[in-house]
Amino acid sequence: MRETPLSNCERQFLLTAIKEKKRLDGRQTYDYRNIKITFGTEYGCCIVDLGKTRVLAQVSCELVAPKENRPTEGILFFNLELSQMASPAFEPSRQSELLVKLNRQLERCLRNSKCIDTESLCVVSGAKVWQVRVDVHVLNHDGNIMDASSIAAITALCHFRRPDVCVQGEEVTVFTPEERDPVPLSIYHMPICVSFSFFEQGTYLLVDPCEREERVMDGLLVIAMNKHREMCSVQSSGGIMLLKEQVLRCSKIASVKVAEITELINKALENDKKARKEGGKFGFAESIPKQLITAFKADVAPVEMGDIEEKAEDIISRTEPSPETVPSPVLRAPGTAQIGEGLLNTWGLEETEDGDEPEDQVMEGENTKVEGKTRDADTEEAVIISDSEEEDVVILNPEIKKDVKTQTVIPQQPRAGASKKRNKKK
């Protein structure tokens, strides 16, 4: 997937803001973005956040045969990967020009500067040496990958511990971390890259450009330096002509930034070492901010309880006074069943007038008569049952139909409207 180009309006807006010494994220011209360094549970694993740019570095080692021209020196190998997870513009199928350039700069910054004592990695001269491999993975790309990669790589090398070995004759024994404590690498200095971007043919200068600023810049200058103000490498790209005064000015700015970053790295290493020694919590899980939704816990918010009684009384005084009598929650309506205290009959049955008997008693009399007929029919082995209001006759024994003319009607509870009509007819 190709990178979406900037429109003319966006390009013009960025260049105008740079001319006015303003940046998109509110930084000043020589300001770096916030740097955060976190370590994993294993030695030699760290993540560096440079603003929104995130880089993971992992260091590993193994025993291999040395090179023929250098039989007493160990091997350093650096590998930087750009995945589509960092940016959709990165193609995983082939190596891009940006990837090749970043790998060369990283090797020139760390390996060619002799910051690590490679002779201390030799176990048996001409036979066994340690090969230290540094894998750098770009997790998110928001500009200035080179600076973030150099910080992550040197921090991971300082944090790494290789297994201890013992040589007895021709036999080489590698001890586990449980048997012997791992051995740190011998590091002479810590080279760190600082990137400068130029605009309008070198007229304007910015430190630590973001991804959008890199799209509109005319040239890039990368200076690798340690805290002793020793230049390890200098690389310029973009095809712009820089004056001697501009390079010296950039070197002075880089010396200040390198000293600050080196102090930050040493402080992060000391905090991790202290946490591991005291048995405290360490690792990537402990670096999750507590304010995010993915946090495991949140701080308890303090609540003031001093004047709670006064506030409660004030609220109560403002409320309307409650009525003296509380209406009954029971709904007295015809045709509604009630649960609770006994109520009057609500089925719409009216009392009989002029001394007439209620229909319930009439129905009871009819029932007794029907029962008598049923008993007589039982003696004659004939049962006739009516199950509907039209009094349909069902004959179970048709042979004795002529002799027995009885029928049994099962009473059903009349409806409220039907009972009223019958009373009126009576």
Side-chain angles (χ1 to χ4, degrees), residues 4-23:
T4 304
L6 291 177
S7 63
N8 294 333
C9 294
E10 289 178 317
R11 185 180 297 273
Q12 187 65 28
F13 174 80
L14 290 171
L15 293 176
T16 305
I18 292 171
K19 291 178 182 178
E20 297 178 0
K21 296 183 179 181
K22 297 179 181 179
R23 306 181 73 169

Side-chain angles (χ1 to χ4, degrees), residues 358-372:
E359 191 175 26
D360 295 341
Q361 297 180 4
V362 175
M363 294 301 298
E364 290 178 1
E366 292 178 1
N367 292 343
T368 54
K369 295 178 182 180
V370 172
E371 289 177 0

Side-chain angles (χ1 to χ4, degrees), residues 9 57 89 166 227 280 299 421:
C9 294
C166 179
K227 66 178 182 179
D299 295 334
K421 293 180 180 179

Side-chain angles (χ1 to χ4, degrees), residues 107-349:
E107 290 181 357
R108 191 179 297 111
C109 173
L110 297 177
R111 185 172 61 185
N112 297 348
S113 63
K114 303 294 182 181
C115 64
I116 297 178
D117 184 11
T118 54
E119 293 184 356
S120 63
L121 301 176
C122 178
V123 179
V124 179
S125 178
K128 296 289 183 181
V129 295
W130 286 108
Q131 180 184 5
V132 179
R133 178 187 177 95
V134 182
D135 292 298
V136 180
H137 302 269
V138 180
L139 303 180
N140 189 38
H141 171 45
D142 191 36
N144 202 3
I145 297 178
M146 190 62 233
D147 291 13
S149 300
S150 65
I151 296 172
I154 193 63
T155 306
L157 287 171
C158 295
H159 188 255
F160 179 67
R161 303 289 187 273
R162 66 171 178 84
D164 195 6
V165 295
C166 179
V167 180
Q168 295 180 354
E170 297 181 355
E171 182 180 358
V172 178
T173 305
V174 180
F175 297 97
T176 61
E178 290 77 13
E179 296 174 347
R180 287 189 182 181
D181 293 335
V183 181
L185 301 179
S186 178
I187 298 178
Y188 294 133
H189 57 91
M190 298 169 62
I192 296 172
C193 294
V194 180
S195 299
F196 301 90
S197 57
F198 294 92
F199 303 88
E200 299 292 336
Q201 297 298 322
T203 306
Y204 302 100
L205 168 67
L206 291 182
V207 178
D208 182 23
C210 64
E211 190 263 342
R212 290 185 177 272
E213 292 171 347
E214 287 182 350
R215 294 191 187 186
V216 299
M217 68 182 181
D218 297 333
L220 183 67
L221 178 66
V222 181
I223 298 177
M225 185 181 293
N226 56 22
K227 66 178 182 179
H228 306 293
R229 296 186 177 183
E230 297 174 349
M231 280 193 182
C232 302
S233 67
V234 179
Q235 180 170 347
S236 176
S237 59
I240 61 172
M241 300 297 294
L242 297 177
L243 300 177
K244 179 180 65 175
E245 291 78 9
Q246 291 178 320
V247 177
L248 292 176
R249 182 183 178 186
C250 292
S251 64
K252 292 180 180 179
I253 298 172
S255 63
V256 177
K257 300 300 180 183
V258 166
E260 296 176 356
I261 297 174
T262 304
E263 184 179 357
L264 179 64
I265 294 174
N266 293 330
K267 186 176 180 180
L269 291 171
E270 291 178 1
N271 293 337
D272 182 77
K273 182 179 179 180
K274 184 179 180 181
R276 292 176 186 269
K277 185 177 181 181
E278 295 178 354
K281 297 180 180 180
F282 56 88
F284 296 140
E286 298 302 322
S287 62
I288 299 178
K290 297 180 180 181
Q291 289 77 15
L292 298 181
I293 193 172
T294 55
F296 297 109
K297 58 182 179 179
D299 295 334
V300 179
V303 180
E304 296 182 1
M305 302 293 291
D307 55 347
I308 189 65
E309 295 182 358
E310 298 178 0
K311 291 183 178 180
E313 293 178 357
D314 187 16
I315 294 173
I316 293 173
S317 62
R318 293 179 183 177
T319 58
E320 297 180 358
S322 58
E324 298 179 357
T325 59
V326 180
S328 176
V330 180
L331 179 62
R332 301 176 183 270
T336 306
Q338 306 294 337
I339 299 176
E341 60 180 1
L343 298 175
L344 300 176
N345 190 356
T346 59
W347 290 98
L349 299 178

Side-chain angles (χ1 to χ4, degrees), residues 1-4 88-89 91:
M1 181 178 179
R2 293 185 178 180
E3 187 177 8
T4 304
E91 299 180 2

